[in-house]
Amino acid sequence: MFRRLFAPTIEVSAHCDLPCGVYDPAQARIEAESIAAIIKKVADNDDPDFRTRAILIKEQRSELVKHHLWVLWTDYFKPPHFEKYPELHTLVNDATKLAGASGTKGTLDADIAQQLLDKIDEIDRIFKETKQG
């Protein structure tokens, strides 16, 4: 028993919690595309019940975008990524704010939805570069 307690430890290193392939900005993008589509549908529909349901779904999708981006930021991206891409912190912060109360969660502005998609595309570009190295 003592032999196991005092045995040399082996240091292991991984760039993410699980084998690659479980993290992907595509999850955030799918939700953001849903938000953009909902905003368009709400603009084309005068039915108050439909609009209420659509807005609730849009708000839920906005929360999911934030969740998926935060998971990437906290679980996938590591210090070497932040060193190589110093804009990454600001980029993820800006994207989550675009999905938040002052962004797609709280507005029906199609331009905000497009800005969110554009930020996710920037995060995806960096993500793909990190997967190559």
Side-chain angles (χ1 to χ4, degrees):
M1 177 173 167
F2 286 114
R3 189 176 277 152
R4 274 193 320 184
L5 286 174
F6 296 108
T9 58
I10 299 172
E11 187 174 319
V12 231
S13 175
H15 71 274
C16 60
D17 297 345
L18 293 170
C20 288
V22 293
Y23 300 111
D24 198 317
Q27 295 167 302
R29 179 157 187 84
I30 290 167
E31 300 301 347
E33 287 173 351
S34 294
I35 292 165
I38 289 168
I39 289 171
K40 183 176 178 352
K41 287 184 178 286
V42 167
D44 296 337
N45 195 311
D46 292 332
D47 177 6
D49 292 331
F50 173 85
R51 291 174 64 87
T52 299
R53 287 192 321 273
I55 290 169
L56 288 172
I57 293 168
K58 176 188 64 74
E59 290 176 0
Q60 292 169 342
R61 299 295 165 236
S62 293
E63 280 297 315
L64 286 170
V65 169
K66 289 170 34 178
H67 169 76
H68 291 305
L69 292 174
W70 284 333
V71 167
L72 281 170
W73 190 37
T74 60
D75 294 353
Y76 175 77
F77 291 119
K78 300 294 182 210
H81 300 136
F82 295 118
E83 290 169 16
K84 185 172 182 181
Y85 304 97
E87 73 277 18
L88 193 53
H89 283 298
T90 301
L91 188 57
V92 173
N93 185 57
D94 290 349
T96 55
K97 288 198 179 305
L98 282 167
S102 62
T104 58
K105 186 174 180 182
T107 185
L108 291 169
D109 187 335
D111 290 336
I112 300 290
Q114 186 57 54
Q115 289 174 36
L116 174 59
L117 286 164
D118 293 343
K119 291 288 182 191
I120 292 170
D121 285 345
E122 290 181 55
I123 293 166
D124 188 48
R125 177 190 57 78
I126 291 172
F127 174 80
K128 285 177 179 164
E129 288 178 18
T130 67
K131 299 288 273 186
Q132 293 175 7

